Amino acid sequence: MILPSNRLLVLGGLWFCGSIPAAIVPSLFPVWLIGGAALLLLITLDAIGLYRQPLPVIEREVAGSLPQTIWRNVTLYVTSQVSVRQKIQLKDSPPEKCEYDDRTIHLMLTPPQVSQVVYRIKPLMRGDLWFGRVHLRLFSPLQLWQRQALVGSTQKVSVFPNFAPITQMALQTTITQAGMGFHKFRKRGQGMEFEQLREYRSGDAMRQIDWKATTRMRKMISREYQDERNQRIIMMLDCGRRMGASEGELMHFDHALNAVLLLSYVGLRYGDSVGLITLGGPERYLPPVRSVNAINRVLHEVYDLQPTLSSSDFEVAAQSLITRERKRSLVVMFTNLRDEDEQSLLASVKLLSKRHLVLVASLRETELDDAASMPINNQQDAALRAAAASYQSKRQAVLTRLRSAGILCLDVQPQQLAVESVNRYLAIKAAGQL
């Protein structure tokens, strides 16, 4: 599409204004007509020159996989197809649900150089997103006309949960460092696998001493144990409408996904098998596996999931899992408890606990905690605090009944869910409960 530029509109306006003195002074009328003809010829030649110019070539360079809520660079390479300078304006079409530098970029292309434009983008939503074609505005040689066009191609990128913290953990020798928020649990009871013999250390239990080795070596020798391996963790991920609540830049569902990935990583590091099943949305099922690629399988299975508007049927999900998994496993259910869930949730966890060890990991809204402890300055504050306290009381009643039924429970704010889930898993292994 070719449109007149501001410069052409100004020139046309000046020529039109020239008609006033030409009408008053008849001798100026021929001059005005000649000027109009010359301007028309100039305009026509400039339009023909623009129409014949090939459009610049624009290529976009962006990583095929982007982390959620992390700024990343997008580079546009602009190559002119003519031997003269070209003035252009361009604007990219990033995917929806992204923050980016929303501005029009002005360039003067000088062949044979390739111009480079860099801007930043921050995806706010996981899944497969698409860049549109680049909006281009090319000016004619005299800048009397401008040609608008879409150039380049569409491009798909996959936005994954921010996996950087887990990647950093892989570079460390242990995950039980205080800086990560994990607790190191003392091993107790049975259920620990023998790992090696070593010299006795102060604080070793008497049952750790290997008397045969002590007699043979003529010094105290202790057995060292490791957590049992080749156990099974199955994560039940709630994709229902309750998980769509926002907590900062992330939804509750995003925090639950981060917890799933972190727990998967830690479980695999401890030699356990990890699996996944969803409820309240698209049905996804991964049987428990223990391999170096298992974490990638989990990541690619869940990265495009979004919370739906459906209600979560815990009983159907529990029945589906019981049918598929008969070996005893640690089942971690990530959800957001409501008091109306009590009957369905109790029935489902009782069914699961006949064969598995169940941990209900519930996200607690930060805003509700803040409302329940806010100072009361007026009647509206009092009503809000009373409503929050009532809601929390009903929620705690559900958790109490779950615990009374022998179900392990977590009730934490979304930002704490990942670390606290791992802590509880480590405590379960250390206690030999699984």
Side-chain angles (χ1 to χ4, degrees):
M1 179 187 296
I2 297 181
L3 300 172
S5 68
N6 291 335
R7 180 176 295 185
L8 176 56
L9 295 177
V10 170
L11 288 177
L14 292 175
W15 178 79
F16 180 78
C17 291
S19 63
I20 298 175
I24 298 173
V25 182
S27 60
L28 296 178
F29 187 74
V31 177
W32 178 73
L33 286 178
I34 294 173
L39 180 60
L40 179 60
L41 178 62
L42 188 66
I43 291 173
T44 303
L45 293 175
D46 196 45
I48 293 173
L50 175 62
Y51 182 77
R52 290 181 175 178
Q53 283 188 18
L55 296 174
V57 175
I58 301 181
E59 297 178 344
R60 182 189 299 108
E61 182 180 87
V62 60
S65 300
L66 299 176
Q68 185 182 15
T69 70
I70 301 297
W71 288 101
R72 286 292 184 263
N73 287 343
V74 178
T75 304
L76 299 177
Y77 295 97
V78 186
T79 305
S80 176
Q81 299 296 296
V82 297
S83 58
V84 296
R85 299 180 69 187
Q86 285 181 307
K87 180 183 177 181
I88 66 169
Q89 295 176 359
L90 58 88
K91 188 175 183 180
D92 203 0
S93 302
E96 297 181 358
K97 302 294 183 181
C98 292
E99 290 185 11
Y100 58 94
D101 186 8
D102 187 14
R103 61 186 175 92
T104 301
I105 300 166
H106 302 261
L107 287 178
M108 184 64 74
L109 301 182
T110 306
Q113 298 178 353
V114 177
S115 299
Q116 180 177 324
V117 176
V118 180
Y119 70 95
R120 298 198 308 160
I121 184 173
K122 181 171 75 170
L124 302 178
M125 180 178 178
R126 292 167 291 95
D128 293 331
L129 305 181
W130 287 87
F131 282 86
R133 302 177 71 189
V134 179
H135 294 267
L136 173 71
R137 181 175 294 171
L138 175 65
F139 289 87
S140 61
L142 298 178
Q143 299 183 28
L144 300 178
W145 297 94
Q146 54 187 8
R147 180 180 178 186
Q148 296 182 358
L150 293 174
V151 296
S153 59
T154 59
Q155 188 172 354
K156 185 182 81 169
V157 294
S158 298
V159 180
F160 290 86
N162 182 17
F163 206 52
I166 302 175
T167 305
Q168 292 171 4
M169 287 174 52
L171 303 177
Q172 301 173 357
T173 57
T174 178
I175 62 170
T176 56
Q177 298 188 5
M180 291 298 296
F182 297 114
H183 303 307
K184 194 168 185 177
F185 293 92
R186 184 182 182 86
K187 298 176 183 177
R188 58 185 176 84
Q190 300 300 318
M192 300 302 167
E193 294 182 349
F194 172 77
E195 184 175 19
Q196 64 181 1
L197 294 174
R198 58 167 173 78
E199 289 190 18
Y200 176 84
R201 298 173 187 166
S202 176
D204 285 351
M206 290 296 294
R207 69 177 183 85
Q208 288 183 247
I209 299 175
D210 189 310
W211 295 107
K212 290 184 179 180
T214 296
T215 302
R216 185 172 61 252
M217 301 295 294
R218 297 184 179 180
K219 58 181 178 180
M220 299 290 282
I221 301 296
S222 294
R223 296 187 185 95
E224 189 167 78
Y225 297 89
Q226 66 179 2
D227 292 318
E228 287 187 23
R229 294 176 176 268
N230 202 23
Q231 295 177 321
R232 298 156 62 86
I233 312 170
I234 301 174
M235 288 156 287
M236 295 185 69
L237 181 59
D238 189 352
C239 304
R241 58 174 178 245
R242 72 195 61 212
M243 301 298 283
S246 296
E247 199 76 35
E249 289 185 323
L250 302 179
M251 295 181 293
H252 281 192
F253 189 76
D254 295 315
H255 288 286
L257 272 186
N258 290 337
V260 165
L261 294 172
L262 184 56
L263 185 56
S264 299
Y265 172 81
V266 175
L268 291 168
R269 186 179 178 120
Y270 270 75
D272 291 339
S273 302
V274 297
L276 172 79
I277 188 170
T278 61
L279 66 147
E283 185 176 349
R284 304 282 175 90
Y285 171 67
L286 280 177
V289 293
R290 179 166 57 95
S291 68
V292 293
N293 294 323
I295 189 65
N296 289 329
R297 287 187 60 196
V298 174
L299 181 62
H300 283 82
E301 192 68 28
V302 301
Y303 82 95
D304 60 339
L305 284 174
Q306 302 293 341
T308 67
L309 297 178
S310 303
S311 299
S312 301
D313 194 327
F314 296 100
E315 293 183 73
V316 171
Q319 187 62 56
S320 175
L321 183 58
I322 284 290
T323 303
R324 286 167 163 162
E325 298 296 336
R326 298 189 176 276
K327 292 184 179 179
R328 181 171 171 81
S329 307
L330 171 62
V331 177
V332 185
M333 183 184 297
F334 293 98
T335 186
N336 185 336
L337 283 180
R338 297 286 191 272
D339 59 300
E340 63 266 22
D341 299 330
E342 181 178 356
Q343 185 175 356
S344 174
L345 186 58
L346 272 173
S348 64
V349 296
K350 285 181 179 179
L351 176 62
L352 289 171
S353 60
K354 292 179 180 179
R355 186 170 295 158
H356 305 292
L357 180 65
V358 181
L359 169 62
V360 176
S362 176
L363 297 91
R364 187 177 70 247
E365 291 88 343
T366 305
E367 292 182 357
L368 287 175
D369 286 355
D370 295 340
S373 59
M374 67 182 296
I376 300 176
N377 299 318
N378 51 50
Q379 187 176 0
Q380 184 178 359
D381 291 345
L384 179 60
R385 181 165 177 175
S390 174
Y391 178 86
Q392 293 287 49
S393 176
K394 293 178 181 179
R395 182 193 187 99
Q396 287 301 319
V398 176
L399 289 168
T400 299
R401 281 186 277 274
L402 285 173
R403 293 186 176 110
S404 299
I407 306 302
L408 303 176
C409 295
L410 274 179
D411 184 39
V412 296
Q413 293 182 358
Q415 296 82 355
Q416 303 169 337
L417 180 66
V419 169
E420 291 303 321
S421 299
V422 171
N423 281 336
R424 183 57 66 92
Y425 159 72
L426 295 177
I428 290 171
K429 288 189 71 69
Q433 290 179 266
L434 186 54

